[in-house]
Amino acid sequence: MHVSLDSALGRQRRLNSVGESVLQIASSAAAAYSLRSLTGGDPVVVRVRRSSNDAEQDFTSSGVSSGALVNFVNEIQTLGTVTNSSGNNGFTLTNTSSTGFTATTDTATGVCGWPYTAKAGDKITVSFDAVIRSGTPQFLPRRATALSSDNLASVVSDSPLSVNSTASYSFEFTYDDDQAGSLTFSEGDDNADFDISNFQVTVFKGAGLVETWYDQSGNSNDAVQATAGSQPKIVNAGSFLNELDFDGTDDNFELTSVLGMTSAGAIFSVAESGGGNDKLILDNRDSGVDGFRLMRFNNELQYRWQSATAATSTNPGTNTKFIAFANHDGSNASAAVNGATATTTSDTSSISVVAKPHIGARSFSSAANFWDGTINELIIYNSDQNANRSALQTNINSHYSIF
Amino acid sequence: MLYLIYASKEAAIERADEEGKELGFDYWIEDNGQGTRWLTYPNETADHMWALDVTNYDLDESEESSTVDHYTPLPDPDDD
């Protein structure tokens, strides 16, 4: 059944005022997640783990937009003094420092270098000056921080790179190995005598993964993913995405606590599907039909509440952002995309869910039906928000310019 | 992918905890109950064992000889 928004509301819609934040328009959110401020202040919005060394840091909305977050992810690690390989694999090494060394070998073996942790997809640019007196040394990354003659790291560009003449060098590598751990020089299968100076990592382009998406509602119902392999990306190969990218394989969050929704509720979200059919944006169920979920299914946005399904006639599409709206007012479940007229279905059931909701995956049994795409914003109410729909969507669309 | 199969979820998490500590994840450094704790988390198998993805784990010889390259996950209980 299709009804117009006005007739569905049957009352005056709330209009938003210039400058009002989402939570000033409708303050009673049960949980609210975004990278922008939904409060009007400068709340902590996200906790990010960087791929390089797994360090984590919280960021406010201004820290996200100012570039502090991406700078944290791309921070260049300090190099210690160059390390010689142990045993017969080492050079005769002198003049060692954090920027260079003099290496000789007359046994056609030798490895030395600097430990530097990086992960698959990370890009590193190094520069240095070389003076080659004899031999054809090579520069190459290795997997382990403990240097040895094997354990070559896998890199996208050709490896190893010959340093066969006196010159200044600059190389960029893209790692495709999660265990890459050292920036090294070797002898190049020949006797060698050479100097390296002014060695430095000039650019590091890493990945930023979201460990916590903080709740801005004031209810401290943060969305958390403590498993590194299941954290969505916010920075990829050094580039800030300005959204959370879920891989469709295992990325998802679990909320810290239950929502407590019973007979009414509403969801506003900004998302983008990467494809597929059965993809959960938000799931709050104890079993198959016990609770509610918001999902893209059969090229529709679907809001399923117990056994009722409100499916939009508008296809949210793939690879394009959309604003999702879902609402249950106690009598009807409704759903809409991009401000269109809501599709409504009659339903008077109530819910009582004890499982913690999941963003991007199923909330009961084991996580499954993963969201393959991005989510920018997710605002959840335990109450009917038909009256605030227009004002909230106007606020959201003003920020994201979706329709 | 390489998996170790455990009889209990607790045993699998114990191994995941060990790897998380070894990797120096934030949860184990800050001691405030916050931050990344595991590299991977176990999933229940069809025969109610627990499979832990250890592809990128530092395994000992005993563990290396016990890995399997696949497992059968729980049947999907969803209604779709």
Side-chain angles (χ1 to χ4, degrees), chain A residues 33 220-224 252-260 282-287 290 292 352-367 380:
Chain A
Y33 311 95
S220 300
N221 199 355
D222 303 325
V224 176
N252 73 102
F253 291 112
E254 182 178 84
L255 272 58
T256 306
S257 57
V258 299
L259 287 169
L282 177 66
D283 192 8
N284 183 41
R285 291 177 295 162
D286 285 330
S287 63
D290 176 22
F292 76 84
S352 178
V353 179
V354 298
K356 294 174 183 175
H358 279 230
I359 297 172
R362 191 174 61 199
S363 60
F364 67 95
S365 185
S366 57
I380 309 163

Side-chain angles (χ1 to χ4, degrees), chain A residues 128-372:
Chain A
F128 56 87
D129 299 325
V131 174
I132 310 300
R133 286 178 290 277
S134 65
T136 55
Q138 297 170 330
F139 171 76
L140 67 169
R142 292 176 190 271
R143 287 199 179 98
T145 53
L147 302 180
S148 66
S149 58
D150 51 12
N151 290 328
L152 294 184
S154 178
V155 293
V156 172
S157 54
D158 291 339
S159 176
L161 297 166
S162 293
V163 185
N164 53 12
S165 62
T166 296
S168 296
Y169 293 83
S170 179
F171 296 137
E172 181 185 67
F173 296 87
T174 300
Y175 282 95
D176 58 4
D177 189 318
D178 269 346
Q179 299 177 58
S182 296
L183 305 171
T184 69
F185 289 83
S186 69
E187 84 294 335
D189 294 329
D190 197 357
N191 295 347
D193 181 2
F194 63 103
D195 298 333
I196 298 295
S197 61
N198 298 319
F199 185 91
Q200 59 179 328
V201 177
T202 56
V203 179
F204 178 78
K205 298 177 181 177
L209 299 310
V210 177
E211 195 276 338
T212 301
W213 205 2
Y214 287 105
D215 175 19
Q216 298 185 39
S217 74
N219 295 319
S220 300
N221 199 355
D222 303 325
V224 176
Q225 180 49 265
T227 302
S230 300
Q231 294 167 343
K233 274 185 180 176
I234 192 169
V235 177
N236 184 45
S239 297
F240 177 53
L241 302 177
N242 204 18
E243 59 196 9
L244 275 63
D245 187 3
F246 295 73
D247 65 2
T249 301
D250 54 14
D251 290 355
N252 73 102
F253 291 112
E254 182 178 84
L255 272 58
T256 306
S257 57
V258 299
L259 287 169
M261 197 175 289
T262 54
S263 60
I267 306 162
F268 295 84
S269 185
V270 175
E272 177 177 326
S273 172
N277 268 332
D278 191 351
K279 306 294 181 184
L280 287 159
I281 297 172
L282 177 66
D283 192 8
N284 183 41
R285 291 177 295 162
D286 285 330
S287 63
V289 293
D290 176 22
F292 76 84
R293 60 190 140 155
L294 179 67
M295 61 199 294
R296 179 178 177 271
F297 188 66
N298 289 340
N299 291 324
E300 300 166 329
L301 177 73
Q302 293 194 359
Y303 182 42
R304 298 191 185 185
W305 179 285
Q306 300 289 79
S307 298
T309 298
T312 63
S313 55
T314 307
N315 182 354
T318 57
N319 301 317
T320 182
K321 287 197 184 306
F322 64 91
I323 298 176
F325 167 68
N327 192 80
H328 199 294
D329 63 6
S331 301
N332 298 287
S334 53
V337 171
N338 293 343
T341 300
T343 302
T344 298
T345 186
S346 176
D347 179 79
T348 58
S349 63
S350 60
I351 62 175
S352 178
V353 179
V354 298
K356 294 174 183 175
H358 279 230
I359 297 172
R362 191 174 61 199
S363 60
F364 67 95
S365 185
S366 57
N369 300 335
F370 298 97
W371 178 248
D372 180 6

Side-chain angles (χ1 to χ4, degrees), chain B residues 1-4 52-56 59 64 67-70:
Chain B
M1 305 286 264
L2 296 175
Y3 303 92
L4 284 174
L52 183 66
D53 178 357
V54 295
T55 306
N56 290 314
L59 303 176
E64 281 182 357
T67 57
V68 297
D69 59 10
H70 70 281

